[in-house]
Each structure stands twice: as C-alpha cells, then as structure tokens.
Amino acid sequence: MDLWRKIGIGVVSIIPAFVLSGLVWDWFESWLAALAVVILVGVFSGSVISGKFSTE
C-alpha cells in the first residue's frame, strides 16, 4: 500500500475515535471506557494500515 494512503487512513480513523469515545463517555461517564474505545479504534486502524485486512 502506498505511504500516502496509509497516512490518509490514519488521519481519517481519528474522526471515529473521537466521536465514539465521546459517545461512550456520555453513556458511561468513564474515562477508562473512552480510552478503551480509542485503543480499539487504534488497533483496528493499525491492522488496516499494516495490511491484515488486505485481499491481495
């Protein structure tokens, strides 16, 4: 995968991390739950960038 595409995927995955962590914090009012969501999104986007979900 091209370097610029990897950087773009990383930048675009920041948006769901902020939105989902804010939503989880609003539901549970727990910073640990919000941090867990950020980590999950980070792991998922890291897997996409590294090519684990690639069809090639």
Side-chain angles (χ1 to χ4, degrees):
M1 189 181 314
D2 186 26
L3 176 64
W4 293 108
R5 184 174 176 137
K6 289 181 182 181
I7 292 172
I9 290 171
V11 169
V12 169
S13 66
I14 292 172
I15 297 166
F18 283 141
V19 171
L20 289 176
S21 65
L23 186 64
V24 166
W25 186 85
D26 189 43
W27 286 342
F28 301 113
E29 293 185 3
S30 169
W31 288 107
L32 290 176
L35 181 63
V37 170
V38 170
I39 290 172
L40 284 173
V41 171
V43 167
F44 179 74
S45 64
S47 297
V48 169
I49 289 171
S50 67
K52 292 185 180 180
F53 294 115
S54 179
T55 58
E56 293 179 34

